[in-house]
């Protein structure tokens, strides 16, 4: 939480992967890398690479993916 909250105010930038600007997947990848966890670059790649858990088992720090437009692109 401290790593993520330290980035508050960083602007959104399509394709952004650093403190000058992040997109959503760039932000999660950056934060997770700071705590020693590797995530791929795009949200579709992240979705495909992480362990899925039942909704009732979601914990603080887990990534949650939502379908937009009816289908997750991979």
């Amino acid at each position: 939480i401290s790593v993520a909250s330290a980035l508050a105010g960083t602007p959104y930038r399509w394709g952004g992967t650093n403190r000058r600007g992040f997109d959503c997947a760039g932000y999660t990848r950056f934060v997770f890398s700071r705590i020693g966890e590797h995530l791929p670059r795009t949200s579709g790649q992240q979705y495909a690479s992480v362990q899925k858990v039942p909704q009732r088992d979601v914990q603080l720090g887990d990534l949650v993916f939502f379908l937009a437009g009816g289908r997750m692109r991979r």
Side-chain angles (χ1 to χ4, degrees), residues 21-69:
F22 293 108
D23 66 10
C24 298
Y27 174 77
T28 56
R29 183 176 192 215
F30 185 91
V31 170
F32 274 64
S33 73
R34 293 303 184 265
I35 61 169
E37 297 289 335
H38 171 76
L39 284 177
R41 170 63 192 99
T42 69
S43 60
Q45 292 167 337
Q46 290 176 8
Y47 176 81
S49 73
V50 296
Q51 178 184 353
K52 280 63 169 184
V53 297
Q55 184 177 354
R56 68 181 179 276
D57 296 334
V58 172
Q59 297 179 19
L60 184 65
D62 286 349
L63 295 178
V64 179
F65 294 85
F66 297 89
L67 295 179

Side-chain angles (χ1 to χ4, degrees), residues 5-24:
S5 63
L7 299 168
T10 303
Y12 178 85
R13 188 178 78 172
W14 186 81
T17 60
N18 58 50
R19 293 176 185 263
R20 289 180 291 155
F22 293 108
D23 66 10
C24 298

